[in-house]
Amino acid sequence: MSPGLPHSPLFNFSIWPPIMCLQYLSCVHLFSHFSVGHCHPDVVKAGAQQMELLNTNSRFLHDNLVLYAQRLQATLPDKLSVCYFVNSGSEANDLALRLAWQYTGNKDIITLDNAYHGHVSSLIDISPYKFHQSSDAEQNQYVHVAPSPDVYRGKYRGEHLDPATAYADEVKDMVQRVHKKGGKIAAFIAESLQSCGGQVIPPQGYFQQVAQHVREAGGIFIADEVQVGFGRVGTHFWAFQLQGEDFVPDIVTMGKPIGNGHPMSCVVTTKEVAEAFMSSGMEYFNTFGGNPVSCAIGMAVLDVIVKEDLQGNALRVGRYLTNLLEKQKEKHPLVGDIRGRGLFVGLELVKDRLKLTPATAEAQEVIYRLKEQYILLSADGPHRNVLKFKPPMCFTTEDADLVVDKIDHVLTELEEALGLKSHNALSVENESSKRKVSVTPFPKLYPL
């Protein structure tokens, strides 16, 4: 890649020998690590200047470390006041587990179905998104998987009177079963918004109730903000804050967008948890975590988010994008659901809006067709049928128009090939309310 387009969702990909340079528009997490835009000059300058001056490991105190910790803590509730700087989301979540085990003295972890928390061994154990892919993988006896709070295709859906309580009660029941078998809960861990699980937005009030059940059992709550933090949701700086002011996790982990592509991450927790960790007698040290260059870059990212109102942009453009996609749902029978907050949006493709049959092959076809037109999008969820939008936060309404227009054309061509008419979408919706539906069967879709 070449740094030809600073602070933009566009980036250049150079072919070697240098005979051409292709320009792509990124809509996905592959480049959402560049949260404030590819090669933002302010971030590049901050890193380069500090690297020219001094870089040490964190045994040597440096003003940048203290200043950045203060800046970061100021974005969080007061009780979250102790920062541990590390180098990746996986490191952050692994450390969060160690903190929970030491603080509680317990071992058992509750995670959500389809969750992904990182690539190291401790995190593969609590990431059903990964270990369910292996036919011979055995679930760790100390790990317990609760249903994903998915109100579209989960156990309790949108028509349920109180899905937040219903899903939280599943966790409560799980805690009781663990205790009956002699186990004790150390922590409940969840992505504040499930990303790899299919852009799942938990119903409001779910985290509060889960936290109550878990804390009453002696455990703590870990909020994984690695993919969704730093203003992406628009209305708030952190996605866990969508649940309401009355919810504060015991540990928050962050990564990816924190350094705009630079490898850094952080764990923030309470004084009580940190003191218990320190009392173990085992010193915690991380060679590169919190080094002066990383902290300089982190501060520059925070500066750009404020200076360019990227959180506000995520809110405005996210709403604009969601409205465009809702219109596609009205037009295209393949579109089953649109959900998201800010610039974290999922478009779920289904073959049947009543049975919610995943349109996996169709989702892949959309991705391939867009890539041919230099637009990068990807699919996720347990069925790989959710088109996920997590672009850099400098994404514009013009970018949204371009992407949705291309998706519209691809879906139209797919539906024509499948023998579907756009008016079927409305007729299915109308008839579904009467519980008398005639759905045109989809012929088998072969890869093009």
Side-chain angles (χ1 to χ4, degrees):
M1 288 180 293
S2 62
L5 293 161
H7 55 287
S8 167
L10 294 165
F11 68 94
N12 291 337
F13 187 86
S14 298
I15 306 298
W16 187 262
I19 56 174
M20 66 173 65
C21 184
L22 304 177
Q23 187 178 98
Y24 286 86
L25 174 64
S26 172
C27 306
V28 291
H29 74 288
L30 179 64
F31 290 95
S32 70
H33 309 348
F34 301 114
S35 52
V36 301
H38 178 59
C39 291
H40 194 291
D42 291 5
V43 178
V44 172
K45 181 179 179 180
Q49 286 184 338
Q50 184 59 53
M51 190 171 289
E52 288 177 346
L53 183 63
L54 175 71
N55 197 23
T56 67
N57 70 45
S58 52
R59 287 193 188 278
F60 300 93
L61 293 180
H62 190 279
D63 287 349
N64 282 4
L65 178 64
V66 177
L67 293 172
Y68 183 49
Q70 291 174 338
R71 290 279 305 276
L72 201 56
Q73 194 280 324
T75 69
L76 291 156
D78 290 342
K79 66 175 284 189
L80 294 168
S81 58
V82 181
C83 300
Y84 294 87
F85 291 106
V86 287
N87 306 290
S88 71
S90 289
E91 269 196 74
N93 283 328
D94 181 72
L95 177 56
L97 292 181
R98 288 181 59 190
L99 291 169
W101 288 325
Q102 178 64 32
Y103 175 71
T104 65
N106 302 337
K107 184 68 175 176
D108 292 76
I109 302 293
I110 297 177
T111 187
L112 292 176
D113 200 10
N114 306 317
Y116 176 66
H117 295 289
H119 64 81
V120 300
S121 297
S122 64
L123 304 177
I124 293 296
D125 282 347
I126 64 168
S127 298
Y129 176 82
K130 284 294 185 181
F131 68 68
H132 281 168
Q133 295 177 13
S134 176
S135 58
D136 58 351
E138 293 185 9
Q139 185 172 319
N140 187 309
Q141 63 176 323
Y142 296 108
V143 174
H144 313 278
V145 180
S148 170
D150 183 349
V151 297
Y152 178 65
R153 66 165 59 247
K155 186 174 182 179
Y156 307 106
R157 301 181 180 179
E159 65 273 10
H160 193 282
L161 293 177
D162 189 357
T165 298
Y167 278 116
D169 284 346
E170 293 279 342
V171 176
K172 180 180 180 181
D173 293 343
M174 182 167 286
V175 169
Q176 293 172 349
R177 291 195 298 271
V178 170
H179 282 193
K180 285 181 180 179
K181 293 181 179 180
K184 291 185 178 180
I185 302 299
F188 172 92
I189 183 169
E191 301 155 90
S192 298
L193 304 176
Q194 269 198 325
S195 181
C196 294
Q199 312 293 92
V200 175
I201 314 297
Q204 192 165 1
Y206 171 67
F207 281 171
Q208 288 92 326
Q209 295 182 65
V210 168
Q212 179 180 345
H213 300 324
V214 170
R215 287 166 180 162
E216 287 175 353
I220 61 177
F221 193 109
I222 303 171
D224 180 343
E225 291 270 341
V226 169
Q227 296 201 53
V228 295
F230 291 88
R232 174 165 295 280
V233 298
T235 54
H236 300 81
F237 201 77
W238 303 105
F240 73 79
Q241 294 171 322
L242 292 168
Q243 291 283 308
E245 294 183 0
D246 58 335
F247 172 68
V248 180
D250 301 290
I251 299 175
V252 175
T253 61
M254 52 194 76
K256 296 192 192 305
I258 189 173
N260 203 51
H262 180 78
M264 57 185 293
S265 59
C266 187
V267 180
V268 185
T269 189
T270 65
K271 288 184 179 179
E272 294 79 10
V273 172
E275 287 172 355
F277 188 56
M278 189 167 57
S279 70
S280 68
M282 183 186 296
E283 179 190 21
Y284 179 77
F285 173 68
N286 191 301
T287 302
F288 295 110
N291 69 74
V293 172
S294 292
C295 290
I297 288 171
M299 285 190 284
V301 170
L302 292 179
D303 288 340
V304 172
I305 290 173
V306 173
K307 183 175 72 173
E308 299 183 5
D309 188 26
L310 293 184
Q311 181 179 338
N313 187 69
L315 177 62
R316 293 185 294 272
V317 178
R319 285 176 174 170
Y320 183 81
L321 172 63
T322 301
N323 288 335
L324 290 179
L325 293 174
E326 286 288 354
K327 293 176 182 177
Q328 296 302 304
K329 181 180 177 182
E330 295 174 3
K331 181 177 180 181
H332 295 288
L334 278 172
V335 179
D337 190 41
I338 307 296
R339 52 182 178 267
R341 297 290 186 274
L343 283 175
F344 179 90
V345 181
L347 184 157
E348 182 154 356
L349 298 183
V350 296
K351 296 179 180 180
D352 184 319
R353 287 191 179 180
L354 291 181
K355 298 178 181 178
L356 305 187
T357 309
T360 302
E362 291 81 357
Q364 298 306 312
E365 187 64 26
V366 172
I367 293 167
Y368 296 147
R369 297 274 195 93
L370 291 181
K371 184 179 178 183
E372 291 173 352
Q373 299 176 70
Y374 307 106
I375 296 173
L376 298 181
L377 193 64
S378 64
D380 231 320
H383 307 289
R384 301 292 195 274
N385 68 316
V386 181
L387 301 179
K388 57 181 183 180
F389 295 81
K390 289 188 295 181
M393 294 197 301
C394 52
F395 203 70
T396 67
T397 55
E398 291 78 12
D399 296 327
D401 285 331
L402 173 64
V403 174
V404 176
D405 180 65
K406 300 295 185 183
I407 290 174
D408 180 22
H409 281 89
V410 174
L411 290 178
T412 298
E413 292 177 3
L414 281 174
E415 288 165 354
E416 287 177 355
L418 294 167
L420 294 173
K421 303 293 184 181
S422 62
H423 65 78
N424 286 0
L426 291 176
S427 66
V428 168
E429 291 282 13
N430 293 335
E431 289 298 315
S432 66
S433 63
K434 304 174 185 177
R435 301 300 182 197
K436 295 180 181 179
V437 182
S438 175
V439 182
T440 303
F442 277 61
K444 184 175 181 180
L445 181 70
Y446 293 94
L448 299 179

